[in-house]
Amino acid sequence: MNEYLIIALKIVFVLMAVLSLAAILTWLERKQSALMQDRIGANRADIFGLRAIGLFHIIADSLKMFLKEEFVPPGAQRFLHTVAPLMSAFFALSVAACIPFGKLILDGQTIYLQIIDLNAGILYLIAMMSFSIYGVFLAGWASRSKYSLLGALRGASQMLSYEIAMGISLIGIIMIYSTLSLREIVYAQGELLFGFLPAWGVFLQPVGFIIFLTAGMAETKRVPFDLPEGESEIIGYFTEYSSMRFGLFFLTDFIEVALVAMLMSVLFFGGWNIPYLQDTGFVFPWGGSLAMSPLLASLLGILAFGVKVVFFCWLQLTIRWTLPRFRYDQLMKLGWKFMLPLAMANVVATGLVLVLLD
Amino acid sequence: MQEVLFYIFALLAIAGALSVILQKKTMYAAISLVITFMAVSIIYFLLGAQFIGLLQLIIYAGAIMVLFLIVILLLDPFSEIFLRNQSLAWVGLAVLLGAGLFGILYTAFGQAPVEIVAPPVPPGELTGHTQSLADVLFKQYLLPFEVISILILVAILGAVILAKKRIS
């Protein structure tokens, strides 16, 4: 029974972590865009005069979403129209099931903050990310509107194209750490290269990291890859959605931003690892060491993962508010004629280096 | 627990497969096929074959079916295409072929000496499946594996040549 309780607690923890990060990102997006455009940003929502730098806008927004009228267009496929936003959020959240958030060492026992460590974890990631197409696609089709349909077509073809580059960029990581399990990949990144450099994915696979970052941003369907949405031209696949059904699509985008940030920290930036920090404290390659209890070290690791995730969320928001939208042909050219060959070349180069070193 | 889950998802797979041929609207038929693929992949999971289950999800449900859906969408987006085939001759032929296939499978499974039911996988020992599959593919059956990959390459090149613009 105890086992099931731990799993249930883990599920609650992971869902809460991802959802609250996504909710905070909606606020962060407004504040950061305001900062970058020399504005003040959302700060009006208050409770008894307390404004808390606009944080109450998260509650106000969600209340607004829930209270608005739900409208299904007359020609729509009712069932699919209702199911599409649920699917979109469900598949995005299920990616989080195999992300290792950290480990907790209590009395010599190690508890992993990870719902399940699949033997083929990376494949699970790719599978769940590829399913996020269905939400977009069915939403666009079931709405029976030209603009939704255009958005759905663009979305499906964009996500399909970039998924391939993303999958191939991860093959390099799989080859180097020779495992598909995310937990083992994080452990492998705790080693040191040449005695001083942490064996993080970004040092071993710099090209793979850049491809993954680009393809990951394309999967989130936000500027500069927001063609499925295209606010200024077609509104996109959720044109015919209102109230919380639209809210779910809106939230899914931010969940995906959070997930891409988590995946980048796990796959390329060592997950819960801090350079030179082991279970018993810091051991520096130049001699010194700093002892600490395993519990403190593991808590520091969880904190480090959080800091990395927040950093990558910030990076994605910064890119989103810096670059303009791609044209459709530019998007396809970048995906198929530049990123795909580059990812393949990366795989071949990694293989050659591994064979030569062997 | 595993047995209950198996029956639930096996029923779901069969229901999805029936729905594929009974649905009148193409889009719904395609979505039913997606459900069947997902249910089958969960059955792979229950057998402990994570790698194959995930490949089933990525390749069939995640990629091929999306292409199917895009094609259906481009053919005729809003007016529903109705699939209808009332010619009795075709129905008879389909029943005949189906019965033949069932007969072949029945005799094949009846004669097979192999144990079809996988040994129960103890929880916590779900590791090593990718590795053991790789051992079999890349050590024991390396030549057939490479021959199959050349076959796929030929098919891809054929598709490219068919799709290429002709320069006169």
Side-chain angles (χ1 to χ4, degrees):
Chain A
M1 204 61 225
N2 205 4
E3 233 172 83
Y4 290 110
L5 188 71
I6 288 178
I7 291 179
L9 282 179
K10 278 180 185 172
I11 293 174
V12 171
F13 168 80
V14 168
L15 275 183
M16 282 296 132
V18 175
L19 282 176
S20 45
L21 184 59
I24 290 172
L25 278 174
T26 61
W27 168 79
L28 197 68
E29 161 126 315
R30 299 167 103 181
K31 276 301 198 192
Q32 190 173 346
S33 63
L35 203 69
M36 290 173 77
Q37 297 166 350
D38 202 12
R39 292 184 284 117
I40 295 172
N43 70 342
R44 290 297 156 137
D46 65 300
I47 293 179
F48 304 123
L50 183 70
R51 283 184 176 171
I53 49 171
L55 268 172
F56 292 130
H57 273 273
I58 300 170
I59 304 169
D61 278 346
S62 41
L63 268 181
K64 182 188 80 177
M65 292 284 186
F66 274 113
L67 294 177
K68 273 188 162 181
E69 184 195 355
E70 272 184 21
F71 183 74
V72 182
Q77 305 282 338
R78 251 194 125 71
F79 176 68
L80 287 180
H81 188 268
T82 314
V83 167
L86 295 178
M87 279 171 79
S88 168
F90 174 79
F91 288 126
L93 279 175
S94 49
V95 174
C98 68
I99 293 177
F101 282 70
K103 55 176 179 180
L104 208 58
I105 305 177
L106 278 174
D107 309 328
Q109 235 190 335
T110 311
I111 299 171
Y112 292 96
L113 293 180
Q114 179 186 22
I115 295 176
I116 184 168
D117 183 50
L118 286 173
N119 181 242
I122 289 191
L123 292 181
Y124 174 80
L125 294 181
I126 297 173
M128 287 303 134
M129 288 200 142
S130 65
F131 282 154
S132 55
I133 294 181
Y134 282 109
V136 171
F137 187 86
L138 291 178
W141 181 74
S143 298
R144 198 165 190 163
S145 139
K146 284 176 197 136
Y147 298 105
S148 303
L149 195 73
L150 281 174
L153 262 182
R154 286 179 177 191
S157 47
Q158 170 182 328
M159 287 157 89
L160 206 63
S161 317
Y162 278 78
E163 231 160 56
I164 297 170
M166 180 190 247
I168 295 177
S169 78
L170 290 180
I171 292 180
I173 286 280
I174 299 171
M175 285 162 82
I176 281 181
Y177 299 120
S178 58
T179 176
L180 287 168
S181 141
L182 289 175
R183 188 185 292 171
E184 281 168 32
I185 286 176
V186 174
Y187 266 118
Q189 293 184 77
E191 312 279 315
L192 291 180
L193 281 177
F194 318 118
F196 71 96
L197 193 69
W200 287 1
V202 68
F203 299 124
L204 294 163
Q205 283 286 317
V207 179
F209 170 66
I210 291 168
I211 296 168
F212 186 81
L213 174 67
T214 318
M217 288 205 62
E219 292 287 303
T220 60
K221 312 181 286 296
R222 284 153 52 80
V223 184
F225 298 102
D226 73 330
L227 287 127
E229 191 179 328
E231 291 176 320
S232 49
E233 32 181 286
I234 59 166
I235 322 287
Y237 55 92
F238 47 59
T239 311
E240 303 295 337
Y241 279 87
S242 58
S243 95
M244 200 53 208
R245 294 181 188 184
F246 165 75
L248 272 179
F249 282 122
F250 185 71
L251 194 64
T252 306
D253 277 8
F254 286 99
I255 292 173
E256 279 173 347
V257 170
L259 286 174
V260 169
M262 285 172 188
L263 291 181
M264 276 194 281
S265 344
V266 166
L267 294 168
F268 294 95
F269 282 81
W272 67 66
N273 286 305
I274 302 174
Y276 318 128
L277 179 68
Q278 286 156 13
D279 282 351
T280 50
F282 283 100
V283 179
F284 298 108
W286 50 84
S289 65
L290 182 70
M292 60 174 74
S293 72
L295 179 64
L296 184 62
S298 59
L299 284 177
L300 271 182
I302 297 170
L303 185 70
F305 180 72
V307 169
K308 286 169 191 171
V309 169
V310 170
F311 171 76
F312 283 113
C313 288
W314 168 83
L315 184 69
Q316 287 182 72
L317 290 189
T318 309
I319 295 172
R320 185 248 178 272
W321 288 98
T322 307
L323 294 177
R325 182 186 309 144
F326 282 115
R327 231 172 39 217
Y328 195 73
D329 58 323
Q330 292 170 334
L331 176 95
M332 285 294 148
K333 246 184 208 153
L334 179 71
W336 287 103
K337 293 193 174 167
F338 179 69
M339 295 210 340
L340 183 64
L342 189 66
M344 287 189 171
N346 184 39
V347 170
V348 173
T350 312
L352 279 179
V353 170
L354 281 178
V355 167
L356 287 179
L357 286 180
D358 207 12
Chain B
M1 182 69 180
Q2 277 205 337
E3 213 163 291
V4 175
L5 283 176
F6 170 78
Y7 281 114
I8 293 174
F9 287 106
L11 277 180
L12 189 66
I14 293 170
L18 277 178
S19 165
V20 175
I21 47 175
L22 294 179
Q23 282 286 350
K24 293 231 167 95
K25 294 175 189 162
T26 35
M27 191 63 101
Y28 281 89
I31 292 164
S32 311
L33 195 55
V34 176
I35 292 172
T36 306
F37 284 144
M38 287 184 179
V40 170
S41 98
I42 290 172
I43 292 175
Y44 281 128
F45 268 84
L46 288 175
L47 291 172
Q50 296 180 3
F51 187 79
I52 294 178
L54 284 168
L55 282 193
Q56 163 98 2
L57 281 185
I58 295 173
I59 295 171
Y60 287 101
I64 291 180
M65 283 317 294
V66 173
L67 289 180
F68 270 45
L69 290 178
I70 292 177
V71 169
I72 293 172
L73 192 100
L74 286 175
L75 281 181
D76 199 352
F78 291 135
S79 70
E80 287 125 12
I81 308 167
F82 287 101
L83 300 169
R84 213 176 283 131
N85 204 337
Q86 285 155 337
S87 159
L88 258 178
W90 282 109
V91 174
L93 189 64
V95 168
L96 214 67
L97 285 176
L101 183 64
F102 181 77
I104 291 170
L105 287 179
Y106 189 79
T107 43
F109 281 129
Q111 284 175 353
V114 286
E115 185 81 359
I116 291 165
V117 180
V121 186
E125 280 194 28
L126 283 171
T127 52
H129 294 281
T130 316
Q131 286 84 341
S132 49
L133 190 72
D135 274 345
V136 175
L137 274 186
F138 291 105
K139 287 181 183 156
Q140 205 175 341
Y141 295 109
L142 183 62
L143 188 67
F145 182 76
E146 294 294 335
V147 170
I148 289 174
S149 59
I150 289 173
L151 200 66
I152 293 174
L153 185 70
V154 169
I156 294 173
L157 287 180
V160 170
I161 286 172
L162 281 178
K164 213 175 72 174
K165 274 184 199 147
R166 288 194 205 277
I167 304 158
S168 52

